[in-house]
Amino acid sequence: MAVLPITSHDVQSDYDNAKFRRRSVFKVITQALLTSNVRRNCGSCGIGKLLALLMIAGLAFLTVARTNPGISAASQIVQHINVRGEEKVITEGHGNAESWKRFWRKPPRLPPRLPPHGKVGNNSLAAEVHTQQQVLGSAVRQTKVAEAFRHAWTGYKNYAMGSDELMPLSKRGVDGLGGLGATIVDSLDTAMIMGLNDIVQEAGYWIEKKLPERLNEKGQVNLFETTIRVLGGLLSAYCLSGGDNGTTGDWGSRSRLDGPNPAIYLERAQDLADRLMSAFTSSRTPIPFSDVILRERSAHPAPDGLSSTSEVSSLQLEFWYLSKLSGNPKYGDAAMHVLEHLKTLPKLEGLVPIYISPHSGHFSGQNIRLGSRGDSYYEYLVKVWLQQRGAGHGGSDVSYLREMYDEAIKGVKNRLIQKSIPKGLVFVGELPSGQDGSFYPKMDHLVCFLPGTLALGATRGLTKQRAMEEGLMTIEDIENLKLAEDIMKTCYEMYAVTTTGLAPEIAHFHTQEFYEDGLQGGNKSSEFLDDIIIRYADRHNLLRPETVESLFVLHRITQDPKYLEWGWQIFQAFESHTKVDSGGYTSLNDVTVLPPSRRDKMETFFLGETLKYLYLLFGDSNVLPLDRFVFNTEAHPLPIIGKGVENDHTSQTRAS
Ligand code: DMJ
């Protein structure tokens, strides 16, 4: 399905489609009779018509009065949604007056409800109807997500254009990322994917005209944040706007994109990367310093002298692709040198501490986790392998990355996975004191990148069905995909367990050894209320993307429609609790109370990642197919160079 620009007309016509409305019993019977027998046999008979209508009204009255009021599929959905406070409450009425009110009430407009997974059966007609509903439902949902993106952009444009982030409550901008207009660059490829050409033009114009002076004048930026958000955003914009036709060709969009000549994005990317290179060249070891002074082209370590492991190991997709585009190997070489060095360091079953010293080149401390400061180390091992494994002459042998990844996932399974009690959610805990310390049942929301990464690693971006048919999946891959689905459920339940339907920043899990009383999420109808513990200090929500990112990947790979439903629920919760009327969306202080108090910050990744992944989740899988594109850790798609999956068929080690 092509991605076309969305207009208000499209929105209206989607909602006017009768498939999206619940029709009353009265309407159904009347329409059926009037369009068939009654119309045929008694079309000219006024008395007959009147009698028939009276009979229908009587029948409908009896039906309404006898059945439990409001118990229909549609109203059940509304009542379910009410628990999260996302819709107006429809209280159950008692007695005829209430029944009559309901009888005449205009039915609510609702998205289509999919049958539970696996219930479609073999009936091809039912399957056909189901597929049509899914396509239509997904189109409406994509439109809603694109509208949310426009609302976020408009708030930013009106109050913060040129700043890094919007403070939507104070209606002003703030430079939390060094002053490179991070929201603009982070948002650009999302606007391209959504076909929002006016936003592409606005963002593109700013990058063409204003970014150069920022690059010349601005001071300190963080190497990692600037690489994943700004460099990644520029490279992806270059690729999606047609600059890199050689490798990408058609990425699935039919939208014609305006904005500057794509070469502008590449020029800006190279200017930025040349400055960031000082982080590598200033360090005596292959481990780069964490901070760069852009205008001086100099770099220094963080105040404590350490870099985060995830930060130094999540630069390679971007720098390597820039080398391919520019023909200058220095970017890719410097970044890949980090991973080659990390390969030589001692690990605990492939697991690594979250800090590393650029002075010694060694890990620092014992703390092992897949949350903050650890996360994208594991993500990039497999993604860099996916990106470069088929690059042929232009690339070196990256099979060591796949080996490091496979070993690390075994380590995760042996050391970090447990099930909560009483209901058995599979979660990823931490080892704060490394090998000799005890397991700690804490899981950052950030860890929810893992289901998507596991699924990608298992099928190399193909659907599970195709990967199986082509004999690409080992027993271990199949196990990893199952683990991905189990953790995915836990991530979803971290949302569903709270009063707002939004996840906290951090959850703890109830185990035999660990329990804290009275720290529940607040949604009394969740069966996991006692499994998930949410401390007061962890109750904020920063509009983070990891869960919807994994939903997108898992849906592409398994094609299980439940992931669409989970994503839709999460989107609705963002709409209900984080949307700011005057423009933009805001972070929250506490997801367990209604109404949640608000934090006054719209992170750039809400536009760059969260809304992009939601949009892609509801869209066609031919747009940015996962066997041809790899998303950097800030959701900027970059092309897989060379033979990709084809290469795996010829690999002796992966054949099953
Ligand atoms: C993003 O900047 C990236 O996804 C990063 O890898 C982790 N944190 C944020 C989003 O939560």
Side-chain angles (χ1 to χ4, degrees):
M1 188 182 65
V3 181
L4 295 167
I6 286 143
T7 63
S8 56
H9 171 77
D10 295 324
V11 180
Q12 191 53 51
S13 56
D14 282 329
Y15 270 87
D16 276 342
N17 189 312
K19 279 189 198 301
F20 298 106
R21 288 195 230 133
R22 171 174 146 59
R23 292 183 298 165
S24 67
V25 175
F26 176 74
K27 264 192 184 170
V28 172
I29 299 173
T30 318
Q31 282 172 2
L33 287 176
L34 286 180
T35 53
S36 58
N37 292 341
V38 174
R39 194 174 54 195
R40 260 198 308 274
N41 303 336
C42 212
S44 57
C45 169
I47 293 172
K49 206 179 238 177
L50 185 65
L51 280 174
L53 281 172
L54 281 173
M55 196 178 75
I56 292 157
L59 267 173
F61 172 77
L62 283 175
T63 313
V64 171
R66 283 171 68 100
T67 52
N68 195 356
I71 302 299
S72 64
S75 61
Q76 277 171 353
I77 294 175
V78 173
Q79 283 159 13
H80 173 71
I81 292 169
N82 285 343
V83 177
R84 311 271 168 70
E86 293 163 6
E87 296 280 338
K88 283 199 180 117
V89 174
I90 300 173
T91 45
E92 286 193 5
H94 302 281
N96 289 342
E98 187 57 35
S99 298
W100 269 111
K101 259 192 242 163
R102 182 168 294 104
F103 180 58
W104 292 114
R105 184 185 293 144
K106 204 176 169 211
R109 289 178 170 191
L110 292 169
R113 195 183 188 204
L114 299 180
H117 183 46
K119 293 265 173 70
V120 175
N122 293 327
N123 181 324
S124 61
L125 183 61
E128 168 90 353
V129 169
H130 170 226
T131 311
Q132 279 173 10
Q133 278 181 345
Q134 193 169 316
V135 169
L136 285 167
S138 288
V140 173
R141 290 172 179 188
Q142 271 203 312
T143 305
K144 287 289 172 196
V145 177
E147 284 173 355
F149 178 82
R150 183 175 287 289
H151 184 79
W153 174 261
T154 305
Y156 171 77
K157 189 177 87 169
N158 288 346
Y159 303 117
M161 191 71 187
S163 299
D164 280 333
E165 295 134 327
L166 167 69
M167 296 174 72
L169 304 183
S170 350
K171 299 185 188 166
R172 63 192 173 90
V174 59
D175 279 342
L177 293 158
L180 298 181
T183 292
I184 299 174
V185 191
D186 224 358
S187 302
L188 175 57
D189 62 2
T190 309
M192 289 177 170
I193 291 166
M194 293 178 175
L196 302 175
N197 227 353
D198 55 328
I199 299 179
V200 173
Q201 277 179 344
E202 285 159 3
Y205 175 81
W206 191 93
I207 287 166
E208 181 176 15
K209 303 287 180 211
K210 309 279 181 183
L211 187 55
E213 74 198 39
R214 298 288 178 100
L215 291 170
N216 271 329
E217 287 165 12
K218 287 296 173 183
Q220 182 170 313
V221 296
N222 175 278
L223 169 67
F224 162 78
E225 297 293 358
T226 310
T227 298
I228 65 168
R229 299 186 202 215
V230 185
L231 184 59
L234 290 168
L235 292 171
S236 164
Y238 175 71
C239 172
L240 298 192
S241 59
D244 185 19
N245 267 334
T247 48
T248 53
D250 173 18
W251 55 271
S253 166
R254 284 223 218 112
S255 302
R256 197 180 62 81
L257 294 171
D258 289 336
N261 184 322
I264 292 290
Y265 299 130
L266 182 58
E267 243 174 64
R268 301 289 174 272
Q270 202 163 351
D271 183 359
L272 173 60
D274 283 336
R275 296 164 196 271
L276 295 178
M277 279 299 288
S278 61
F280 297 94
T281 53
S282 311
S283 172
R284 278 186 288 122
T285 71
I287 302 303
F289 290 153
S290 69
D291 298 314
V292 171
I293 312 289
L294 290 173
R295 62 174 168 265
E296 292 173 6
R297 297 171 189 259
S298 68
H300 58 263
D304 61 3
L306 299 174
S307 297
S308 299
T309 303
S310 63
E311 294 192 356
V312 303
S313 57
S314 308
L315 311 161
Q316 290 69 21
L317 292 174
E318 300 82 355
F319 277 80
W320 189 83
Y321 183 44
L322 179 59
S323 275
K324 287 284 134 238
L325 293 175
S326 65
N328 187 338
K330 70 175 179 181
Y331 311 105
D333 286 351
M336 291 305 289
H337 202 188
V338 180
L339 296 182
E340 286 151 20
H341 174 77
L342 293 178
K343 176 184 142 197
T344 67
L345 300 181
K347 306 176 184 68
L348 175 64
E349 296 189 55
L351 305 175
V352 294
I354 59 172
Y355 288 106
I356 190 161
S357 163
H359 303 296
S360 68
H362 286 110
F363 290 121
S364 174
Q366 302 292 314
N367 198 342
I368 289 174
R369 66 176 179 231
L370 269 72
S372 61
R373 301 183 186 281
D375 48 6
S376 46
Y377 165 76
Y378 304 93
E379 179 186 350
Y380 268 41
L381 288 180
V382 74
K383 285 188 173 176
V384 176
W385 173 76
L386 286 168
Q387 180 196 39
Q388 298 176 26
R389 74 198 192 286
H393 300 308
S396 49
D397 180 11
V398 286
S399 55
Y400 74 94
L401 293 172
R402 179 72 205 206
E403 284 155 24
M404 286 166 76
Y405 170 77
D406 285 338
E407 193 197 356
I409 297 307
K410 278 189 198 131
V412 168
K413 290 194 268 198
N414 288 341
R415 304 266 181 172
L416 301 181
I417 298 289
Q418 284 202 13
K419 274 189 180 176
S420 65
I421 54 176
K423 293 287 183 180
L425 287 174
V426 174
F427 69 93
V428 189
E430 302 182 357
L431 295 174
S433 307
Q435 175 158 25
D436 302 325
S438 50
F439 175 86
Y440 186 47
K442 161 181 172 274
M443 181 166 143
D444 294 350
H445 182 274
L446 288 166
V447 180
C448 292
F449 80 93
L450 188 60
T453 293
L454 282 169
L456 262 188
T459 70
R460 294 135 184 85
L462 299 175
T463 60
K464 178 185 178 187
Q465 192 184 359
R466 203 177 135 201
M468 294 286 275
E469 280 165 10
E470 298 196 6
L472 283 172
M473 290 179 79
T474 62
I475 301 285
E476 208 176 335
D477 289 327
I478 293 168
E479 249 179 56
N480 290 350
L481 185 54
K482 168 75 173 73
L483 178 62
E485 296 203 65
D486 289 344
I487 303 172
M488 187 76 266
K489 174 166 175 60
T490 303
C491 290
Y492 165 71
E493 296 300 344
M494 282 165 63
Y495 285 72
V497 80
T498 71
T499 319
T500 56
L502 290 170
E505 176 73 357
I506 297 169
H508 287 72
F509 289 82
H510 182 182
T511 63
Q512 292 292 351
E513 296 77 32
F514 184 91
Y515 187 60
E516 287 176 345
D517 206 6
L519 297 173
Q520 295 175 332
N523 177 10
K524 296 274 186 288
S525 61
S526 164
E527 56 172 314
F528 300 102
L529 213 52
D530 287 331
D531 292 62
I532 300 177
I533 297 157
I534 311 177
R535 291 181 172 171
Y536 289 106
D538 304 335
R539 297 185 169 194
H540 48 294
N541 180 295
L542 305 183
L543 310 170
R544 283 199 192 276
E546 290 76 18
T547 296
V548 295
E549 163 187 349
S550 285
L551 287 173
F552 157 65
V553 178
L554 275 182
H555 180 253
R556 283 272 175 106
I557 284 174
T558 66
Q559 301 170 309
D560 185 336
K562 79 176 173 222
Y563 298 126
L564 296 173
E565 296 313 302
W566 292 0
W568 183 240
Q569 281 177 33
I570 291 170
F571 173 70
Q572 286 178 303
F574 278 126
E575 283 292 283
S576 299
H577 303 299
T578 69
K579 190 170 187 169
V580 178
D581 287 345
S582 49
Y585 289 75
T586 188
S587 304
L588 302 175
N589 284 318
D590 187 346
V591 292
T592 69
V593 293
L594 281 180
S597 81
R598 301 186 296 176
R599 268 209 170 168
D600 202 10
K601 180 81 166 290
M602 182 171 76
E603 301 284 346
T604 76
F605 48 70
F606 185 62
L607 295 92
E609 296 195 70
T610 311
L611 293 176
K612 180 189 288 153
Y613 281 129
L614 281 163
Y615 185 84
L616 290 170
L617 168 67
F618 300 126
D620 194 287
S621 54
N622 293 324
V623 176
L624 297 166
L626 293 177
D627 59 335
R628 287 183 40 224
F629 287 85
V630 63
F631 288 75
N632 87 340
T633 193
E634 190 73 8
H636 297 303
L638 305 174
I640 287 173
I641 310 286
K643 287 188 286 172
V645 166
E646 256 178 71
N647 200 51
D648 300 327
H649 288 291
T650 54
S651 155
Q652 293 300 312
T653 50
R654 307 300 306 172
S656 66

